[in-house]
Amino acid sequence: VLNEETKNNKDELLDVLTSYPGEIGVYFKIDGKNYKASQSVRKCRGLINELLSLLDEEDIRFFKA
């Protein structure tokens, strides 16, 4: 979930996502709408830690397919 503050971090966020390629699709929720990113990621501690430096914990979710 991106808000006005975190939208400014979008490019940095995309850089983080490309560092952890994998099978999990990535979606952004911006202003109530969902957008699919071209990146897919793998869930790992490094990815989560980097995401937490840019987003609040409640804004990061992983779902099983």
Side-chain angles (χ1 to χ4, degrees), residues 2 4 7-8 10 12 19 27-28 30-31 36 38 42 49-52 55 57:
L2 299 180
E4 286 303 317
K7 271 197 245 185
N8 297 329
K10 188 176 176 191
E12 189 173 355
S19 299
Y27 293 85
F28 295 103
I30 304 171
D31 298 329
K36 183 165 178 26
S38 59
R42 72 185 189 305
N49 287 337
E50 287 199 53
L51 291 175
L52 287 171
L55 301 169
E57 186 173 359

Side-chain angles (χ1 to χ4, degrees), residues 2-3 6 11 15-16 19-20 22 24-25 27 30 39-40 45 47-48 50 53 57 60 63-65:
L2 299 180
N3 57 34
T6 54
D11 289 337
D15 287 342
V16 168
S19 299
Y20 297 91
I24 301 171
Y27 293 85
I30 304 171
Q39 292 85 352
S40 293
R45 186 169 292 152
L47 171 62
I48 294 168
E50 287 199 53
S53 72
E57 186 173 359
I60 302 168
F63 298 96
K64 290 184 180 182

